[in-house]
Amino acid sequence: MLSLPSEVTIKEVGPRDGLQNEPAEILTEDKIAWIDLLSEAGYSYLEFSSFVHPKWIPQLKDAKEVAQRIKRNKDVTYAALVPNMKGLEAALATDVDEVSIFMSASDAHNRKNINKSIEETYPVLEEVVREAKSAGKSVRGYVSTVFGCPYEGDVPIQQVIDVSKRLLDMGIDELSLGDTIGVANPKQVWETLGRLEAELSFQHLAMHFHNTRGMALANILASLQRGITTFDASLGGLGGCPYAKGASGNVATDDLVHMLHQMGISTGIDEKKLEQAGTFIQEKLDKPLPSHHMQLTRNERR
Ligand code: HMG
Ligand code: MG
């Protein structure tokens, strides 16, 4: 018998994880209009951009302007990625609700992504968490390459436990475990979560699946079975990690919402409004979005 929750929280990461990997330049005003549509679609959480180096991620160089010009819905938490104190200071100047720190469970990906070893990253993030907290902000912590690394291959689970523990000890409010390159399978997800739950104590745990091999929904079902009720997703399946070659988009929000609603699990998200927001960004990107839902919508219009 499936044991399922009655409610799931979906954290929309499309404006950040989605757009950071898109070659097309999206105008700032179009990003703002898109985020404004998302803000009215019933989400409680939107990750709208990153305060990272514009040379590394040029697509998100307008994070400050986006933060200042979006219409904030009081029911939505607006979050942004910050890699260090410079990023945090920029984020705080725009009065974000939450900041997300990030690092990898594998050293090679960590170096490619943020130019530091795992050991060198800890003191940087410790300071970020301390300062963010003293500014009254909540902090989310991402661990990437939890189920496999594009440079090192298999990642020993002990490394995932060690990095997660260090982030939790810093005082993060939520941990999000990333299948950065979409290599996880449901059995591995089930076993990994069992091990982590046995060894760590969590306040809040979220899963962040990329859909590179079409496994993300199956991995979410395995996570639901372990009691996880928070998932990151990207509308239309946009996205990827620029420092993980071949990584494709996150699990598509529209496909995930459909699956959950069909199973009687509520998300608070309005499917019609989601579709409008998906169609809007698809037009701006000028390319078909990969989610099944967007494919169906395109076929219906023909
Ligand atoms: P670095 O070059 O090592 O930085 O980059 P540095 O501290 O040596 O400083 C060099 C220059 O960068 C200095 O400027 C700094 O001021 C500037 P200069 O004095 O030479 O003119 N600088 C910055 N500028 C703007 N914003 C900043 C910032 N920090 C320093 N925050 C750094 C280190 C972390 C900045 C760089 O590697 C970087 O920006 N990386 C971004 C990587 C990224 O965004 N990756 C994608 C997101 S992670 C992801 O997608 C995975 C996830 O989705 C989960 C999953 O799927 O697994 C979350
Ligand atoms: Mg990601």
Side-chain angles (χ1 to χ4, degrees), residues 16-17 20 51-54 56-57 81 83-84 86-87 102 113-115 142 144-145 178 180 208 210 241-243:
R16 192 279 303 170
D17 208 344
Q20 77 181 10
F51 290 90
V52 295
H53 198 299
W56 289 60
I57 310 282
L81 244 58
N84 52 21
K86 185 159 179 143
F102 56 104
N113 200 29
I114 50 174
N115 209 20
Y142 279 106
S144 288
T145 64
T180 315
H208 178 106
H210 283 264
C241 177
Y243 297 98

Side-chain angles (χ1 to χ4, degrees), residues 8-18 34 38 43 45-47 140 142 176 206-210 216-217 220 230-239 249-257 260 269 274:
V8 153
T9 300
I10 297 182
K11 300 200 165 179
E12 176 62 46
V13 296
R16 192 279 303 170
D17 208 344
W34 184 42
L38 295 171
Y43 290 99
Y45 192 101
L46 292 176
E47 193 177 77
R140 178 172 223 234
Y142 279 106
S176 177
M207 299 303 285
H208 178 106
F209 291 111
H210 283 264
L217 285 179
I220 287 177
T230 304
F231 298 96
D232 302 344
S234 180
L235 183 52
L238 267 177
N250 300 84
V251 65
T253 311
D254 34 348
D255 291 341
L256 176 58
V257 165
L260 295 171
I269 294 172
L274 204 55

Side-chain angles (χ1 to χ4, degrees), residues 2-55:
L2 280 175
S3 94
L4 295 169
S6 58
E7 247 178 76
V8 153
T9 300
I10 297 182
K11 300 200 165 179
E12 176 62 46
V13 296
R16 192 279 303 170
D17 208 344
L19 294 187
Q20 77 181 10
N21 213 28
E22 286 297 334
E25 192 175 339
I26 304 294
L27 298 175
T28 305
E29 66 204 54
D30 289 337
K31 286 182 194 173
I32 293 166
W34 184 42
I35 295 167
D36 287 346
L37 286 175
L38 295 171
S39 289
E40 297 305 318
Y43 290 99
S44 56
Y45 192 101
L46 292 176
E47 193 177 77
F48 67 88
S49 197
S50 301
F51 290 90
V52 295
H53 198 299
K55 254 193 321 211

Side-chain angles (χ1 to χ4, degrees), residues 127-139:
E127 187 183 6
V128 171
V129 177
R130 196 170 56 244
E131 294 303 318
K133 291 271 166 181
S134 70
K137 305 298 175 186
S138 52
V139 182

